[in-house]
């Protein structure tokens, strides 16, 4: 008995998308299309932070830039021309750099050897670290008050030097450049120290031990291993310390000479806004402050790229 021939039927094309629960042949979802382009839905969680940055940083910054091009009189660049042609105003650039650059360099340079010694484990490390970062909790005003009492003409520092016969008259260490520099060092060092210590602790100690087994001395290990691996951290620490010192304002007024030697750009912007009520000039000075900070940051990042552009060798990497 012969079997009946089977009739082959073709499934309609419209049913091709309903193939099995395994998803083979199923239409591509929006999530899959985004994933193919490297976009994850979790990135949507960044939207609140992005909105906050736009509302609190980007918009005020762009508003200030636009305001700087709306001077009271003259063309759109009148404020910038007036700033650079007025020696009393343009000199604030050098006065600010003269304070910010040395303070940042000193804080970073002093932090490196101290952090190098404190990266290991020993008794009293936490207490010593707490003492070094204590000025962070004091605040600029309290630090300035301490400087006035300690470095003043009748302060302990001058009295001790005079009692020892090292000086005949008190040294002038406040209400000038040095008063502001002391304040920037006292308030900025703990910040730089904590950053350098964190970067220093992240360097794998086995690298130095391996170099020691190959005959490298202590200075060679520091120069050829520690410092190159620490370069990215030093660049970041210097940038943050410099920006913090560049915007100096309270100490320049409290322990400096705000009318002359320590009339920094922040003071010039404050005077333009709240003494002369020229908010366009104040915005111009603020924009120039950001521009000069970006120039220094760019030079530091260029140095960092040329000095070392590799792996940092951290413990967790």
């Amino acid at each position: 008995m012969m079997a009946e021939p089977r009739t082959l039927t073709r499934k309609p094309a419209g049913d091709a998308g309903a193939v099995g629960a395994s998803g083979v042949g199923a239409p591509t979802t929006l999530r899959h299309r985004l994933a193919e382009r490297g976009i994850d839905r979790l990135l949507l969680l960044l939207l609140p932070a992005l909105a906050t940055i736009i509302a609190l940083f980007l918009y005020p910054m762009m508003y200030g830039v636009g305001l700087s091009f709306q001077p009271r009189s003259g063309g759109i660049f009148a404020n910038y021309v007036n700033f650079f042609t007025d020696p009393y105003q343009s000199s604030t650039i050098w006065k600010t750099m003269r304070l910010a650059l040395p303070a940042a360099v000193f804080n970073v340079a002093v932090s490196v050897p101290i952090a190098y010694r404190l990266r290991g484990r020993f008794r009293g490390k936490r207490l010593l670290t707490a003492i070094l970062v204590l000025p962070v909790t004091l605040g600029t005003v309290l630090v300035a008050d301490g400087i006035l009492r300690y470095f003043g003409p009748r302060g302990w520092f001058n009295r001790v030097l005079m009692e020892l016969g090292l000086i005949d008259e008190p040294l002038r260490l406040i209400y000038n450049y040095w008063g502001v520099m002391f304040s920037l060092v006292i308030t900025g060092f703990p910040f730089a120290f904590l950053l350098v210590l964190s970067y220093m602790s992240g360097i794998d100690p086995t690298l130095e031990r391996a170099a020691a087994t190959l005959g490298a001395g202590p200075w060679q290990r520091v120069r050829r291993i520690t410092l190159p691996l620490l370069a990215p951290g030093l660049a970041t620490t210097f940038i943050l310390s410099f920006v913090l010192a560049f915007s100096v304002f309270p100490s320049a007024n409290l322990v400096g000479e705000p009318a002359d030697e320590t009339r920094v750009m922040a003071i010039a912007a404050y005077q333009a806004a709240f003494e002369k009520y020229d908010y366009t000039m104040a915005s111009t000075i603020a924009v120039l402050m950001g521009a000069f900070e970006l120039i220094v940051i760019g030079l530091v990042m260029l140095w960092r790229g040329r000095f070392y552009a590799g792996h940092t060798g951290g413990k967790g990497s």
Side-chain angles (χ1 to χ4, degrees), residues 149-165:
R149 295 177 181 274
Y150 184 78
F151 290 106
R154 298 182 180 180
W156 295 351
F157 184 78
N158 278 309
R159 287 167 58 183
V160 169
L161 293 181
M162 294 181 68
E163 289 292 336
L164 295 176

Side-chain angles (χ1 to χ4, degrees), residues 88-89 92 95 257-258 260-265 267-268 271:
Y88 188 61
Q89 295 281 47
T92 58
K95 293 174 182 177
E257 191 179 3
D260 186 20
E261 192 174 7
T262 63
R263 186 176 182 270
V264 294
M265 297 186 73
I267 293 179
Q271 292 175 343

Side-chain angles (χ1 to χ4, degrees), residues 266-285:
I267 293 179
Y270 175 84
Q271 292 175 343
F274 300 105
E275 293 181 7
K276 300 179 181 179
Y277 299 101
D278 188 353
Y279 296 104
T280 63
M281 176 56 76
S283 298
T284 301
I285 299 174

Side-chain angles (χ1 to χ4, degrees), residues 56 66-67 71 73 93 103 132 198 226 238 252:
L56 299 181
L67 192 62
S73 60
I93 301 173
L132 290 174
S198 65
T226 305
F238 175 84

